[in-house]
Amino acid sequence: VLYRQSVSTPRALIPATWPLWVQTRPRFRLDATVLLSARGGNQAVMAEVAEATGAMEWIAKILGYGILASNTTLKVPQIRKVVQAKATTGLSAMALYLDVFLYLNAAMYNITMGNPLSAWGELLIVIVQNVALVLLLWRYSLPAPSLAAKAGAVLM
């Protein structure tokens, strides 16, 4: 057996309002020690792999939070320029709407799958910054978008 069930997302943390297939689905991950033992590896090698796997998880978590922290200023220069110029010349409304939709979709997928925040947290920060750009686009664009266009963008 090369995969084993992971216990990273306790069932108590999954909201009861989510679909049943999300609440009851097993989570699987590749386990290097199981892989080695299936191939007849010795115990010393398996212990080293287990230690390295633990260290790699910490490194991945630290890098994930570093990426999350660095994305706090991703769109800030663009937001600052729009606010200073009080104009949105050169910004594509459709590109901003799609950015919000796609990042929101990716964030919802990661939430549904129970992935750790360090793996996808930067998406939330980028969503907030993109929503700020959309609001600035609606405020400063000439001619101002109609209420129907705004509602269509929100419902998209």
Side-chain angles (χ1 to χ4, degrees), residues 4 13 44 103 111 119 128 154:
R4 70 174 180 173
L13 296 180
Y103 280 112
I111 290 169
V128 169
V154 169

Side-chain angles (χ1 to χ4, degrees), residues 21-44:
W21 68 270
V22 174
Q23 296 178 30
T24 58
R25 74 171 176 75
R27 291 182 38 94
F28 294 98
R29 67 181 170 88
L30 183 63
D31 190 344
T33 57
V34 173
L35 180 64
L36 281 174
S37 63
R39 294 190 175 188
N42 64 26
Q43 294 296 325

Side-chain angles (χ1 to χ4, degrees), residues 20-93:
L20 187 60
W21 68 270
V22 174
Q23 296 178 30
T24 58
R25 74 171 176 75
R27 291 182 38 94
F28 294 98
R29 67 181 170 88
L30 183 63
D31 190 344
T33 57
V34 173
L35 180 64
L36 281 174
S37 63
R39 294 190 175 188
N42 64 26
Q43 294 296 325
V45 172
M46 288 190 290
E48 288 178 21
V49 169
E51 286 179 24
T53 304
M56 294 305 285
E57 287 177 6
W58 275 103
I59 291 170
K61 196 168 284 285
I62 290 168
L63 286 174
Y65 284 120
I67 291 170
L68 191 142
S70 68
N71 275 334
T72 57
T73 60
L74 183 68
K75 304 260 182 176
V76 171
Q78 191 175 15
I79 293 170
R80 188 176 344 119
K81 285 185 180 183
V82 169
V83 169
Q84 286 174 350
K86 295 186 181 188
T88 57
T89 309
L91 287 181
S92 169

Side-chain angles (χ1 to χ4, degrees), residues 125-149:
I125 295 169
V126 175
I127 290 169
V128 169
Q129 294 172 0
N130 280 330
V131 168
L133 280 171
V134 167
L135 294 175
L136 288 171
L137 177 79
W138 290 349
R139 168 112 168 96
Y140 294 124
S141 63
L142 296 174
S146 67
L147 183 61

